[in-house]
Amino acid sequence: MTNLTLTPALALGDDALVLSHRLGEWAGNAPVLEEEVALANIALDLLGQARILLSLAGDEDELAYLREERQFRNLQLVEQPNGDFAHTIARQLYFSVYQQLLFDHLATGGTELAPLAAKAVKETSYHRDHAEQWTLRLGDGTDESHTRMQRGLDALWRFTGELFEPVDGLDAPWAALHDEWTTRITALLERATLTLPQGPQRGAWTAGGGRQGLHTEPFGRMLAEMQHLHRSHPGASW
Amino acid sequence: MTTIAPEEPALEAVFDATVAADERIEPRDWMPDAYRSTLVRQIAQHAHSEIIGMQPEANWITRAPSLRRKAILMAKVQDEAGHGLYLYSAAETLGTSRDELLDKLHTGRQKYSSIFNYPTLTWADVGAIGWLVDGAAITNQVPLCRCSYGPYARAMVRICKEESFHQRQGYELLMALSRGTEAQHAMAQDAVNRWWWPSLMMFGPPDDESAHSAQSMAWKIKRHSNDELRQRFVDICVPQAEALGLTLPDPDLTWNEERGHFDFGPIDWAEFWDVLKGNGPCNEQRISRRRRAHEDGAWVREAAAAHAAKHGKADR
Ligand SMILES: [Fe+2]
Ligand SMILES: [Fe+2]
């Protein structure tokens, strides 16, 4: 089994892998055909990132399919179920703003992650733009969409503190990134006639959270579905 | 043209001459009403097939057994959504909106290809769909790249390029299974057994029972008969199955030296008509899932429209 010390590649690879999987669940269910294409696009970009990152940490398929829940290092935010379209967009917004800030930083650094981060700049800004445009439309659309968007933002808020927990081995100005993230989200929500959620940004029991392998209930089911076929045929190649 | 109110016979002559010369009819050209409605029906059915066809394959995205396969499958399902978009746009050039067509799909007034009313029961079904269903679609669709209606022909050029990638990935997936473990090989054979006959039905009823064929051929919307295309498909598949190390579930399949084609056994047309009528294994599931996605998305589309109205720009 691959060495599971928390390497940055593993943490960021798991984020991309898990969020890609969640977005893949939308296939065939999107509210409009253009969004089938857009959500799949984002899912594919993330899966591409995941494959590069996990390959830095070990064998991509072993890591994706043969680890237990407690060995995954992704943020709890990305494993949250899709909910309605507004909930998905809220998750995308929180994550894509964070990812773009982090990758912009990594792209200019000298770590093993720099080439990937540099290559991903175009896609991360597309992901952020997609989430921002929908946040604006839903926030300032109809009463119903406004209510749903606000509900999504509120429900996921408590998973956002973890985004800026320092990751071992990853040198980043976490506090400054958090400030920048808050500034961006605040400005966007104001334009979208939405309110910045006020609750705590971290659930009381989560302690270190996803980065330490502590996940939420829906994650186990997600993994059961994702890993079942691969595990049913030990050693087979596909 | 200098005529202010041209007579229909003159316009019809121009239309006939354009078709006869193998040139393209474009959206602004005059065309007979029946030509227009035949095209709308065919393009709509094709578009609906693309989007309903996402369902059986999306069924396996979350269970794909390797990350490489998962990426390929996601990309394929995404392509099908893109095909739906091109085709609804082609139909729009004939004056029929996407909303109108979706409504007809959701209320059962327009159909989609019956093949998607069969279930994907194992991972190997993803391979069988790529190899056989996309393969049959290509055989059907390559001639449509020369269809007399310009926007449809051009959409088909783009679509066919992607369909051939779909066919190859399916073939390659089955090859990996066929050469894999015993269980994988059995899974591949079982999938091919289940998908072979429905794939042959994709070419439609035999020529003497096909309702729209003759007129479509005359208009060059269609270039080859159902039976001709079906034969072409069988001839392509037999050696491929052999290369895959899999068998096709037809004891009558034999090379006919005289005809220069493979003979094949009788198709169960009762099953075809039954599935078409709505009694296939997944008709109800596919259409209700489609309706639910559309209904669940109504508030999103309304929000986009409301936002666009407030801010005076196109919503997308
Ligand atoms: Fe297609
Ligand atoms: Fe296809």
Side-chain angles (χ1 to χ4, degrees):
Chain A
M1 190 73 204
T2 321
N3 177 13
L4 287 179
T5 51
L6 178 53
T7 68
L10 195 59
L12 304 187
D14 283 350
D15 286 349
L17 176 73
V18 171
L19 187 55
S20 163
H21 185 95
R22 285 298 189 201
L23 290 172
E25 292 173 352
W26 271 102
N29 295 311
V32 52
L33 206 42
E34 284 81 354
E35 282 307 299
E36 292 284 359
V37 177
L39 294 171
N41 231 327
I42 298 169
L44 276 165
D45 286 345
L46 290 167
L47 185 53
Q49 293 172 12
R51 296 183 63 193
I52 295 171
L53 287 160
L54 294 181
S55 297
L56 290 173
D59 177 88
E60 60 173 22
D61 286 338
E62 253 182 56
L63 287 168
Y65 292 101
L66 298 177
R67 270 182 298 163
E68 298 296 319
E69 178 175 341
R70 296 282 272 114
Q71 297 172 308
F72 276 82
R73 302 302 184 204
N74 55 283
L75 298 162
Q76 292 181 351
L77 174 69
V78 297
E79 75 203 29
Q80 296 312 305
N82 289 334
D84 66 6
F85 187 70
H87 197 85
T88 289
I89 292 299
R91 193 184 60 201
Q92 286 304 112
L93 178 72
Y94 289 156
F95 182 79
S96 62
V97 172
Y98 148 83
Q99 197 194 33
Q100 197 193 17
L101 290 169
L102 181 62
F103 276 27
D104 280 355
H105 169 79
L106 293 175
T108 58
T111 68
E112 59 172 3
L113 302 179
L116 166 96
K119 195 185 140 272
V121 164
K122 241 171 102 181
E123 53 197 51
T124 52
S125 50
Y126 164 67
H127 302 173
R128 198 206 63 204
D129 187 60
H130 174 265
E132 288 184 347
Q133 293 306 317
W134 272 112
T135 302
L136 291 169
R137 285 191 200 105
L138 299 181
D140 195 13
T142 62
D143 288 347
E144 180 178 8
S145 69
H146 179 92
T147 306
R148 286 178 185 257
M149 191 64 220
Q150 189 66 56
R151 204 188 292 152
L153 291 163
D154 290 347
L156 294 170
W157 182 250
R158 68 192 194 85
F159 297 104
T160 57
E162 194 191 0
L163 307 183
F164 304 97
E165 283 282 306
V167 175
D168 277 351
L170 192 58
D171 185 27
W174 296 103
L177 292 179
H178 196 169
D179 287 348
E180 177 71 11
W181 182 89
T182 308
T183 306
R184 277 190 166 172
I185 299 282
T186 307
L188 180 78
L189 295 191
E190 197 174 299
R191 275 178 65 204
T193 73
L194 293 157
T195 315
L196 191 76
Q198 289 307 309
Q201 280 183 285
R202 190 175 287 105
W205 91 290
T206 59
R211 295 286 187 231
Q212 270 66 49
L214 202 55
H215 295 281
T216 55
E217 283 185 354
F219 188 52
R221 273 171 200 283
M222 194 206 98
L223 286 185
E225 183 172 339
M226 183 174 102
Q227 297 181 333
H228 164 260
L229 177 60
H230 183 98
R231 287 184 180 230
S232 300
H233 297 262
S237 49
W238 300 94
Chain B
M1 200 175 281
T2 51
T3 328
I4 291 163
E7 294 300 317
E8 203 151 285
L11 290 168
E12 185 144 22
V14 173
F15 171 85
D16 289 343
T18 308
V19 172
D22 260 337
E23 281 163 17
R24 299 272 179 267
I25 304 295
E26 294 299 334
R28 279 190 216 166
D29 297 341
W30 182 90
M31 60 188 86
D33 288 345
Y35 176 84
R36 184 185 299 272
S37 60
T38 298
L39 273 170
V40 169
R41 192 189 63 240
Q42 181 171 335
I43 297 173
Q45 170 160 344
H46 191 169
H48 299 332
S49 303
E50 299 285 356
I51 63 167
I52 295 281
M54 296 169 70
Q55 289 184 31
E57 294 196 276
N59 185 35
W60 283 93
I61 287 178
T62 53
R63 292 176 288 171
S66 74
L67 297 186
R68 174 172 164 267
R69 291 288 174 201
K70 189 173 186 168
I72 293 172
L73 182 56
M74 270 186 181
K76 180 180 193 276
V77 174
Q78 181 191 36
D79 283 349
E80 307 302 6
H83 297 171
L85 280 174
Y86 306 158
L87 289 163
Y88 286 118
S89 302
E92 267 166 12
T93 65
L94 293 161
T96 316
S97 72
R98 194 203 303 180
D99 284 348
E100 205 177 322
L101 295 179
L102 283 176
D103 189 54
K104 285 187 172 154
L105 170 65
H106 298 151
T107 53
R109 284 174 295 155
Q110 280 179 344
K111 299 210 172 299
Y112 54 89
S113 176
S114 269
I115 192 76
F116 300 118
N117 291 318
Y118 290 86
T120 48
L121 302 178
T122 72
W123 169 250
D125 290 34
V126 172
I129 289 189
W131 178 42
L132 296 173
V133 176
D134 288 275
I138 294 167
T139 309
N140 259 331
Q141 290 169 13
V142 164
L144 291 174
C145 298
R146 294 185 299 130
C147 159
S148 59
Y149 187 58
Y152 190 30
R154 287 188 290 273
M156 290 319 304
V157 171
R158 294 174 72 176
I159 289 174
C160 282
K161 272 189 206 148
E162 294 178 349
E163 298 298 1
S164 69
F165 151 73
H166 297 172
Q167 194 269 351
R168 279 200 305 276
Q169 67 80 34
Y171 182 83
E172 201 246 285
L173 190 163
L174 286 177
M175 186 67 93
L177 294 180
S178 180
R179 292 179 174 172
T181 65
E182 213 173 298
Q184 286 177 307
H185 182 91
M187 193 193 281
Q189 184 62 59
D190 169 60
V192 169
N193 291 348
R194 284 181 288 108
W195 287 93
W196 173 248
W197 290 108
S199 301
L200 294 192
M201 296 176 197
M202 282 177 71
F203 297 92
D207 294 345
D208 45 6
E209 289 170 41
S210 179
H212 310 289
S213 280
Q215 181 60 75
S216 289
M217 300 266 271
W219 277 329
K220 296 188 181 169
I221 293 174
K222 206 174 154 85
R223 297 267 179 174
H224 308 280
S225 80
N226 294 353
D227 287 332
E228 229 180 304
L229 292 168
R230 186 165 16 243
Q231 181 69 60
R232 189 178 293 178
F233 178 68
V234 171
D235 291 345
I236 292 170
C237 288
V238 174
Q240 290 182 343
E242 208 167 304
L244 282 170
L246 298 171
T247 57
L248 296 171
D250 180 358
D252 297 335
L253 207 51
T254 42
W255 177 250
N256 183 325
E257 191 66 55
E258 210 172 300
R259 294 202 306 125
H261 291 292
F262 283 95
D263 290 336
F264 52 95
I267 292 173
D268 182 358
W269 291 111
E271 174 179 323
F272 172 81
W273 294 113
D274 206 30
V275 175
L276 195 73
K277 265 186 270 164
N279 303 321
C282 301
N283 299 58
E284 175 54 33
Q285 177 189 330
R286 300 285 185 246
I287 205 70
S288 42
R289 162 111 181 254
R290 178 88 268 295
R291 266 194 228 120
R292 194 177 64 234
H294 193 73
E295 284 160 13
D296 287 352
W299 68 269
V300 178
R301 297 188 300 274
E302 281 157 21
H307 183 268
K310 280 187 218 176
H311 296 272
K313 57 183 176 192
D315 74 319
R316 298 201 54 84

